[in-house]
Amino acid sequence: MPMLQTQTLTPDAKGIARAVAIWRDGGLVAFPTETVYGLGADACNGQAVARIYQAKGRPAFNPLIIHVADMATARRFSVLNETAEILAQTFWPGPLSLVLPVKPGSGLSELVTAGLDTVAVRLPENPLAQQLLAAFGGAIAAPSANPSGRISPTTAAHVLAGLSGVIDAVMDGGTCGVGLESTILLPDIENPALLRPGGLPVEAIEAALGRPLASRDDPATPMSPGQLASHYAPRSAVTLNKHARPNGALWLGFGPDCAGCDLNLSPNGDLTEAAANLFAHLHSLDDKALPIAVAPIPDHGLGKAINDRLKRAAAAR
Ligand code: TXA
Ligand code: MG
């Protein structure tokens, strides 16, 4: 692949116009959402979508999430049943992706769905993401803007560290507030199922639906390739549930009982703060090329999503 001069775009009218022009031209622009930076391309342009897989070095069977500015655009590409309508009304814009039947004749590239007849759809809340999507007017396919299998980016600098020279541009919109990818849900009327825990807590979804969710989080049958065992992997070996620093390792703390740790996800033990820091802290520790030991994280609310990511980071590979 020829090296590109990756441009950094400013979050103003000129930068937005440039991003849209690159998208219309079949190029790749990374942009901030409230969860993580996405690597965006026109979801109806197969070659543009192919460039996403190429830039990320991503296995071709991983389907992508499409991002839209509003409900009308969501309906151009997908079909929402009653359960999906309730969830969209309650949680969009926000960190929730719904896996929905593709609308016939939508024009979506098949590479986006990796050949499935469903597509994951998300309406992000980040104002800059909304302005970009509204100005583009269609669907932008966007996985997290990192090389495949590496940590997801929460700043434009993370994006450039992984993808400079292989993407056209990154729109710099500061740090992502949520810091974890979106929660992915299959809104089946009979059996709504969680495909990936993420930035929207499962408890909130269960409260909105008035019923528990089925879980498809079984590593033996990865419905969602995000569940593949070593998807979120720093280069260094990761071990979990360490109450102290092992010899020769870095220690990533959580809460007030981690004096002497190298970095703390949240000194006060706040799971929202820990989620926002997770990828940035893993990036910083990974740069030191030593094993990483992680303190125990409570397994409720956003802690479930954090532990899901950490388990994948620790999986043998
Ligand atoms: O927060 C996010 O969701 C970020 C930002 C950029 O929006 N995006 C993101 O995309 O995390 P990605 O490509 O890294 O993860 C997409 C996940 C994958 O695990 C994929 O398998 C799943 O969505 N997925 C996509 N389409 C699917 C489908 N039709 N059925 C089941 N899973 C699907
Ligand atoms: Mg990813």
Side-chain angles (χ1 to χ4, degrees), residues 31 33 35-39 56 58 61-65 67 97 99-100 112-113 116 118-120 122 142-146 152 180-184 195-196 223-227 231-232:
F31 65 104
T33 77
T35 58
V36 300
Y37 273 72
L39 178 54
K56 284 182 63 89
R58 182 176 211 184
F61 54 79
N62 276 20
L64 305 174
I65 296 172
H67 299 66
S97 295
V99 173
L100 303 170
V112 169
T113 56
L116 301 172
T118 53
V119 59
R122 164 156 144 67
S144 50
N146 52 279
S152 295
L180 284 177
E181 289 97 336
S182 61
T183 300
I184 305 182
L195 301 186
R196 177 178 78 180
M223 272 280 305
S224 186
Q227 298 170 358
H231 193 71
Y232 299 92

Short mmCIF file of all heavy atoms in Angstrom, two decimals, residues 31 33 35-39 56 58 61-65 67 97 99-100 112-113 116 118-120 122 142-146 152 180-184 195-196 223-227 231-232, ligand 1:
data_model
loop_
_atom_site.label_atom_id
_atom_site.label_comp_id
_atom_site.label_asym_id
_atom_site.label_seq_id
_atom_site.Cartn_x
_atom_site.Cartn_y
_atom_site.Cartn_z
N PHE A 31 -12.54 9.65 13.05
CA PHE A 31 -13.29 10.74 13.70
C PHE A 31 -13.70 10.31 15.11
O PHE A 31 -13.84 9.12 15.39
CB PHE A 31 -14.51 11.12 12.86
CG PHE A 31 -15.55 10.01 12.75
CD1 PHE A 31 -16.74 10.07 13.49
CD2 PHE A 31 -15.34 8.91 11.93
CE1 PHE A 31 -17.69 9.07 13.39
CE2 PHE A 31 -16.29 7.89 11.83
CZ PHE A 31 -17.46 7.97 12.57
N THR A 33 -16.02 9.65 18.35
CA THR A 33 -17.40 9.45 18.81
C THR A 33 -17.31 9.51 20.34
O THR A 33 -16.20 9.65 20.88
CB THR A 33 -17.99 8.10 18.38
OG1 THR A 33 -17.45 7.07 19.22
CG2 THR A 33 -17.71 7.79 16.91
N THR A 35 -17.60 7.11 22.27
CA THR A 35 -17.01 5.86 22.79
C THR A 35 -15.51 5.83 22.51
O THR A 35 -14.70 5.93 23.43
CB THR A 35 -17.69 4.64 22.17
OG1 THR A 35 -17.57 4.68 20.75
CG2 THR A 35 -19.16 4.56 22.57
N VAL A 36 -15.13 5.66 21.25
CA VAL A 36 -13.73 5.63 20.83
C VAL A 36 -13.67 6.30 19.44
O VAL A 36 -14.71 6.58 18.86
CB VAL A 36 -13.18 4.18 20.73
CG1 VAL A 36 -13.26 3.48 22.08
CG2 VAL A 36 -13.91 3.37 19.66
N TYR A 37 -12.46 6.56 18.92
CA TYR A 37 -12.34 7.06 17.54
C TYR A 37 -12.70 5.95 16.57
O TYR A 37 -12.28 4.80 16.73
CB TYR A 37 -10.92 7.57 17.26
CG TYR A 37 -10.71 9.01 17.67
CD1 TYR A 37 -10.64 9.35 19.02
CD2 TYR A 37 -10.61 10.03 16.72
CE1 TYR A 37 -10.46 10.68 19.40
CE2 TYR A 37 -10.42 11.36 17.10
CZ TYR A 37 -10.36 11.68 18.44
OH TYR A 37 -10.19 12.98 18.81
N GLY A 38 -13.49 6.30 15.54
CA GLY A 38 -13.85 5.36 14.50
C GLY A 38 -13.03 5.64 13.25
O GLY A 38 -12.63 6.78 12.99
N LEU A 39 -12.79 4.58 12.47
CA LEU A 39 -12.11 4.74 11.18
C LEU A 39 -13.19 4.67 10.11
O LEU A 39 -13.67 3.59 9.75
CB LEU A 39 -11.07 3.64 10.98
CG LEU A 39 -10.32 3.68 9.65
CD1 LEU A 39 -9.68 5.04 9.42
CD2 LEU A 39 -9.28 2.59 9.59
N LYS A 56 -6.49 -1.47 8.65
CA LYS A 56 -6.46 -2.07 9.98
C LYS A 56 -5.74 -3.41 9.99
O LYS A 56 -5.42 -3.92 11.07
CB LYS A 56 -7.88 -2.29 10.50
CG LYS A 56 -8.57 -1.04 10.99
CD LYS A 56 -9.95 -1.35 11.54
CE LYS A 56 -9.98 -2.24 12.74
NZ LYS A 56 -9.90 -1.58 14.05
N ARG A 58 -7.36 -6.02 9.22
CA ARG A 58 -8.44 -6.69 9.95
C ARG A 58 -8.91 -7.94 9.22
O ARG A 58 -9.06 -7.93 8.01
CB ARG A 58 -9.61 -5.72 10.05
CG ARG A 58 -10.76 -6.27 10.82
CD ARG A 58 -11.85 -5.24 10.96
NE ARG A 58 -12.51 -5.50 12.22
CZ ARG A 58 -13.56 -4.86 12.68
NH1 ARG A 58 -14.07 -3.88 12.00
NH2 ARG A 58 -14.10 -5.19 13.81
N PHE A 61 -13.66 -11.31 7.91
CA PHE A 61 -14.99 -11.76 8.34
C PHE A 61 -15.60 -10.88 9.42
O PHE A 61 -16.71 -11.12 9.85
CB PHE A 61 -14.94 -13.23 8.80
CG PHE A 61 -13.92 -13.49 9.85
CD1 PHE A 61 -14.15 -13.16 11.16
CD2 PHE A 61 -12.71 -14.08 9.50
CE1 PHE A 61 -13.20 -13.40 12.14
CE2 PHE A 61 -11.75 -14.33 10.48
CZ PHE A 61 -11.99 -13.98 11.79
N ASN A 62 -14.90 -9.87 9.88
CA ASN A 62 -15.48 -9.00 10.91
C ASN A 62 -16.41 -7.96 10.30
O ASN A 62 -15.94 -7.07 9.60
CB ASN A 62 -14.38 -8.25 11.66
CG ASN A 62 -13.79 -9.07 12.77
OD1 ASN A 62 -13.91 -10.29 12.79
ND2 ASN A 62 -13.13 -8.42 13.71
N PRO A 63 -17.72 -8.06 10.55
CA PRO A 63 -18.60 -7.01 10.04
C PRO A 63 -18.41 -5.70 10.79
O PRO A 63 -17.89 -5.69 11.91
CB PRO A 63 -19.99 -7.58 10.27
CG PRO A 63 -19.84 -8.55 11.39
CD PRO A 63 -18.44 -9.07 11.33
N LEU A 64 -18.80 -4.59 10.16
CA LEU A 64 -18.56 -3.25 10.72
C LEU A 64 -19.87 -2.61 11.18
O LEU A 64 -20.95 -2.98 10.72
CB LEU A 64 -17.93 -2.36 9.64
CG LEU A 64 -16.65 -2.89 9.01
CD1 LEU A 64 -16.23 -1.99 7.86
CD2 LEU A 64 -15.56 -3.00 10.06
N ILE A 65 -19.74 -1.62 12.04
CA ILE A 65 -20.90 -0.84 12.49
C ILE A 65 -21.09 0.34 11.53
O ILE A 65 -20.10 0.98 11.15
CB ILE A 65 -20.68 -0.32 13.92
CG1 ILE A 65 -20.57 -1.50 14.90
CG2 ILE A 65 -21.80 0.64 14.34
CD1 ILE A 65 -20.17 -1.11 16.32
N HIS A 67 -22.65 4.19 11.02
CA HIS A 67 -22.95 5.36 11.84
C HIS A 67 -23.81 6.32 11.03
O HIS A 67 -23.47 6.62 9.88
CB HIS A 67 -21.65 6.04 12.26
CG HIS A 67 -20.75 5.16 13.09
ND1 HIS A 67 -20.17 4.02 12.59
CD2 HIS A 67 -20.37 5.25 14.39
CE1 HIS A 67 -19.47 3.44 13.55
NE2 HIS A 67 -19.57 4.16 14.65
N SER A 97 -25.22 0.04 19.84
CA SER A 97 -25.34 -0.40 18.44
C SER A 97 -26.39 -1.50 18.38
O SER A 97 -26.37 -2.42 19.21
CB SER A 97 -24.01 -0.95 17.92
OG SER A 97 -23.04 0.08 17.88
N VAL A 99 -28.11 -4.52 16.11
CA VAL A 99 -27.94 -5.40 14.95
C VAL A 99 -29.32 -5.63 14.33
O VAL A 99 -30.20 -6.24 14.97
CB VAL A 99 -27.25 -6.72 15.34
CG1 VAL A 99 -27.24 -7.70 14.18
CG2 VAL A 99 -25.82 -6.44 15.82
N LEU A 100 -29.52 -5.11 13.12
CA LEU A 100 -30.85 -5.05 12.50
C LEU A 100 -30.81 -5.67 11.10
O LEU A 100 -29.76 -5.68 10.46
CB LEU A 100 -31.26 -3.57 12.36
CG LEU A 100 -31.28 -2.75 13.65
CD1 LEU A 100 -31.46 -1.27 13.34
CD2 LEU A 100 -32.39 -3.25 14.58
N VAL A 112 -19.41 -4.39 4.35
CA VAL A 112 -19.77 -3.82 5.65
C VAL A 112 -20.33 -4.91 6.57
O VAL A 112 -20.00 -4.98 7.74
CB VAL A 112 -20.80 -2.69 5.50
CG1 VAL A 112 -21.37 -2.27 6.85
CG2 VAL A 112 -20.18 -1.50 4.80
N THR A 113 -21.20 -5.73 6.00
CA THR A 113 -21.87 -6.74 6.82
C THR A 113 -21.14 -8.08 6.76
O THR A 113 -21.58 -9.04 7.39
CB THR A 113 -23.31 -6.95 6.32
OG1 THR A 113 -23.25 -7.29 4.93
CG2 THR A 113 -24.12 -5.68 6.48
N LEU A 116 -23.42 -10.92 5.99
CA LEU A 116 -24.61 -11.20 6.80
C LEU A 116 -25.80 -10.42 6.25
O LEU A 116 -25.64 -9.45 5.51
CB LEU A 116 -24.37 -10.78 8.25
CG LEU A 116 -23.19 -11.44 8.97
CD1 LEU A 116 -22.95 -10.79 10.34
CD2 LEU A 116 -23.46 -12.93 9.13
N THR A 118 -27.76 -8.93 8.29
CA THR A 118 -28.00 -7.93 9.33
C THR A 118 -26.86 -6.92 9.32
O THR A 118 -25.77 -7.21 8.82
CB THR A 118 -28.05 -8.59 10.73
OG1 THR A 118 -26.87 -9.36 10.92
CG2 THR A 118 -29.28 -9.48 10.87
N VAL A 119 -27.15 -5.75 9.88
CA VAL A 119 -26.11 -4.71 9.96
C VAL A 119 -26.20 -4.07 11.35
O VAL A 119 -27.29 -3.88 11.89
CB VAL A 119 -26.29 -3.64 8.85
CG1 VAL A 119 -27.65 -2.97 8.92
CG2 VAL A 119 -25.16 -2.61 8.89
N ALA A 120 -25.04 -3.78 11.92
CA ALA A 120 -25.00 -3.08 13.21
C ALA A 120 -25.09 -1.58 12.94
O ALA A 120 -24.33 -1.05 12.14
CB ALA A 120 -23.72 -3.43 13.96
N ARG A 122 -25.57 2.47 14.52
CA ARG A 122 -25.34 3.29 15.71
C ARG A 122 -25.53 4.76 15.36
O ARG A 122 -25.16 5.20 14.27
CB ARG A 122 -23.92 2.99 16.16
CG ARG A 122 -23.28 3.93 17.11
CD ARG A 122 -22.19 3.15 17.86
NE ARG A 122 -21.03 3.97 18.13
CZ ARG A 122 -21.04 5.00 18.98
NH1 ARG A 122 -22.13 5.34 19.61
NH2 ARG A 122 -19.94 5.70 19.16
N ALA A 142 -17.61 2.29 10.31
CA ALA A 142 -16.45 2.65 11.12
C ALA A 142 -16.20 1.66 12.24
O ALA A 142 -16.95 1.61 13.21
CB ALA A 142 -16.60 4.05 11.70
N PRO A 143 -15.14 0.89 12.13
CA PRO A 143 -14.65 0.15 13.28
C PRO A 143 -13.79 1.10 14.11
O PRO A 143 -13.55 2.24 13.70
CB PRO A 143 -13.78 -0.94 12.65
CG PRO A 143 -13.22 -0.28 11.43
CD PRO A 143 -14.29 0.68 10.95
N SER A 144 -13.33 0.64 15.26
CA SER A 144 -12.42 1.47 16.03
C SER A 144 -11.15 1.72 15.19
O SER A 144 -10.72 0.86 14.43
CB SER A 144 -12.07 0.76 17.34
OG SER A 144 -11.66 -0.56 17.11
N ALA A 145 -10.58 2.92 15.35
CA ALA A 145 -9.50 3.37 14.45
C ALA A 145 -8.13 2.94 14.95
O ALA A 145 -7.26 3.77 15.23
CB ALA A 145 -9.57 4.89 14.28
N ASN A 146 -7.94 1.63 15.05
CA ASN A 146 -6.68 1.06 15.50
C ASN A 146 -6.32 -0.12 14.60
O ASN A 146 -7.21 -0.72 14.01
CB ASN A 146 -6.81 0.55 16.94
CG ASN A 146 -8.01 -0.38 17.10
OD1 ASN A 146 -9.13 0.08 17.25
ND2 ASN A 146 -7.77 -1.68 17.03
N SER A 152 -8.12 0.06 21.38
CA SER A 152 -8.92 1.10 20.71
C SER A 152 -8.44 2.50 21.10
O SER A 152 -8.04 2.73 22.24
CB SER A 152 -10.39 0.93 21.08
OG SER A 152 -10.86 -0.29 20.58
N LEU A 180 -15.05 3.39 26.13
CA LEU A 180 -15.29 1.97 25.81
C LEU A 180 -16.16 1.94 24.58
O LEU A 180 -17.01 2.81 24.41
CB LEU A 180 -16.13 1.30 26.90
CG LEU A 180 -15.53 0.91 28.22
CD1 LEU A 180 -16.64 0.36 29.11
CD2 LEU A 180 -14.44 -0.12 28.02
N GLU A 181 -16.04 0.90 23.75
CA GLU A 181 -16.90 0.81 22.57
C GLU A 181 -18.37 0.68 22.97
O GLU A 181 -18.70 0.37 24.12
CB GLU A 181 -16.54 -0.39 21.71
CG GLU A 181 -15.23 -0.24 20.98
CD GLU A 181 -14.10 -0.92 21.71
OE1 GLU A 181 -14.21 -1.09 22.94
OE2 GLU A 181 -13.12 -1.29 21.03
N SER A 182 -19.24 0.88 21.97
CA SER A 182 -20.67 0.79 22.22
C SER A 182 -21.07 -0.62 22.64
O SER A 182 -20.42 -1.60 22.29
CB SER A 182 -21.43 1.18 20.95
OG SER A 182 -21.12 0.30 19.89
N THR A 183 -22.14 -0.68 23.41
CA THR A 183 -22.80 -1.95 23.72
C THR A 183 -23.49 -2.43 22.45
O THR A 183 -24.12 -1.63 21.76
CB THR A 183 -23.85 -1.71 24.84
OG1 THR A 183 -23.16 -1.22 25.99
CG2 THR A 183 -24.59 -3.00 25.19
N ILE A 184 -23.34 -3.72 22.10
CA ILE A 184 -24.00 -4.24 20.89
C ILE A 184 -25.11 -5.20 21.28
O ILE A 184 -24.91 -6.12 22.08
CB ILE A 184 -23.01 -4.96 19.95
CG1 ILE A 184 -21.85 -4.04 19.59
CG2 ILE A 184 -23.73 -5.42 18.68
CD1 ILE A 184 -20.85 -4.66 18.63
N LEU A 195 -24.68 -8.84 22.58
CA LEU A 195 -23.58 -9.41 21.80
C LEU A 195 -22.22 -8.92 22.28
O LEU A 195 -21.22 -9.60 22.13
CB LEU A 195 -23.73 -9.06 20.31
CG LEU A 195 -25.02 -9.53 19.64
CD1 LEU A 195 -24.97 -9.25 18.15
CD2 LEU A 195 -25.26 -11.02 19.89
N ARG A 196 -22.19 -7.71 22.83
CA ARG A 196 -20.93 -7.19 23.36
C ARG A 196 -21.26 -6.18 24.45
O ARG A 196 -21.97 -5.21 24.18
CB ARG A 196 -20.13 -6.48 22.25
CG ARG A 196 -18.83 -5.85 22.75
CD ARG A 196 -18.02 -5.20 21.63
NE ARG A 196 -18.56 -3.89 21.24
CZ ARG A 196 -18.03 -3.12 20.30
NH1 ARG A 196 -16.96 -3.53 19.63
NH2 ARG A 196 -18.56 -1.96 20.01
N MET A 223 -20.68 -14.98 18.03
CA MET A 223 -21.68 -14.32 17.18
C MET A 223 -21.10 -13.03 16.64
O MET A 223 -21.37 -12.59 15.56
CB MET A 223 -22.87 -13.89 18.05
CG MET A 223 -23.93 -14.90 18.24
SD MET A 223 -25.00 -14.95 16.81
CE MET A 223 -25.53 -13.23 16.67
N SER A 224 -20.34 -12.37 17.52
CA SER A 224 -19.81 -11.06 17.24
C SER A 224 -18.30 -11.22 17.34
O SER A 224 -17.82 -11.59 18.39
CB SER A 224 -20.36 -10.12 18.30
OG SER A 224 -20.04 -8.81 18.06
N PRO A 225 -17.56 -10.99 16.26
CA PRO A 225 -16.12 -11.24 16.33
C PRO A 225 -15.41 -10.43 17.40
O PRO A 225 -14.30 -10.76 17.77
CB PRO A 225 -15.62 -10.89 14.93
CG PRO A 225 -16.81 -11.12 14.06
CD PRO A 225 -17.99 -10.71 14.90
N GLY A 226 -16.06 -9.38 17.93
CA GLY A 226 -15.51 -8.67 19.08
C GLY A 226 -15.34 -9.60 20.26
O GLY A 226 -14.63 -9.30 21.21
N GLN A 227 -16.02 -10.75 20.22
CA GLN A 227 -15.92 -11.72 21.31
C GLN A 227 -14.77 -12.71 21.10
O GLN A 227 -14.53 -13.53 21.96
CB GLN A 227 -17.23 -12.50 21.43
CG GLN A 227 -18.40 -11.59 21.77
CD GLN A 227 -19.73 -12.31 21.67
OE1 GLN A 227 -19.80 -13.47 21.31
NE2 GLN A 227 -20.78 -11.60 21.99
N HIS A 231 -9.10 -10.37 21.04
CA HIS A 231 -9.38 -9.22 20.19
C HIS A 231 -8.76 -7.92 20.70
O HIS A 231 -8.33 -7.09 19.93
CB HIS A 231 -10.88 -9.05 20.04
CG HIS A 231 -11.27 -8.11 18.96
ND1 HIS A 231 -11.12 -8.42 17.64
CD2 HIS A 231 -11.79 -6.86 19.00
CE1 HIS A 231 -11.55 -7.41 16.90
NE2 HIS A 231 -11.96 -6.45 17.70
N TYR A 232 -8.74 -7.73 22.02
CA TYR A 232 -8.25 -6.48 22.59
C TYR A 232 -6.92 -6.73 23.26
O TYR A 232 -6.87 -7.02 24.44
CB TYR A 232 -9.24 -5.92 23.61
CG TYR A 232 -10.56 -5.63 22.98
CD1 TYR A 232 -11.56 -6.59 22.98
CD2 TYR A 232 -10.80 -4.42 22.37
CE1 TYR A 232 -12.77 -6.33 22.39
CE2 TYR A 232 -12.01 -4.16 21.77
CZ TYR A 232 -12.98 -5.11 21.78
OH TYR A 232 -14.17 -4.85 21.19
O1 TXA B 1 -18.18 2.29 19.91
C1 TXA B 1 -18.11 1.59 18.90
O2 TXA B 1 -18.92 0.69 18.66
C2 TXA B 1 -16.94 1.88 17.92
C3 TXA B 1 -17.17 3.29 17.41
C4 TXA B 1 -16.18 3.67 16.35
O3 TXA B 1 -18.48 3.42 16.93
N1 TXA B 1 -16.92 0.94 16.84
C5 TXA B 1 -16.53 -0.35 17.01
O4 TXA B 1 -16.52 -1.08 15.85
O5 TXA B 1 -16.23 -0.82 18.09
P1 TXA B 1 -15.75 -2.45 15.69
O6 TXA B 1 -15.75 -2.71 14.23
O7 TXA B 1 -14.43 -2.41 16.38
O8 TXA B 1 -16.68 -3.49 16.36
C6 TXA B 1 -17.86 -3.88 15.67
C7 TXA B 1 -18.44 -5.08 16.33
C8 TXA B 1 -17.68 -6.32 15.96
O9 TXA B 1 -17.48 -7.11 17.11
C9 TXA B 1 -18.60 -6.97 14.97
O10 TXA B 1 -18.48 -8.32 14.88
C10 TXA B 1 -19.97 -6.56 15.49
O11 TXA B 1 -19.78 -5.24 15.84
N2 TXA B 1 -20.96 -6.63 14.43
C11 TXA B 1 -21.07 -5.81 13.38
N3 TXA B 1 -22.07 -6.19 12.59
C12 TXA B 1 -22.62 -7.28 13.15
C13 TXA B 1 -23.69 -8.15 12.81
N4 TXA B 1 -24.40 -7.97 11.69
N5 TXA B 1 -23.97 -9.18 13.62
C14 TXA B 1 -23.24 -9.38 14.75
N6 TXA B 1 -22.21 -8.59 15.13
C15 TXA B 1 -21.91 -7.56 14.34
#
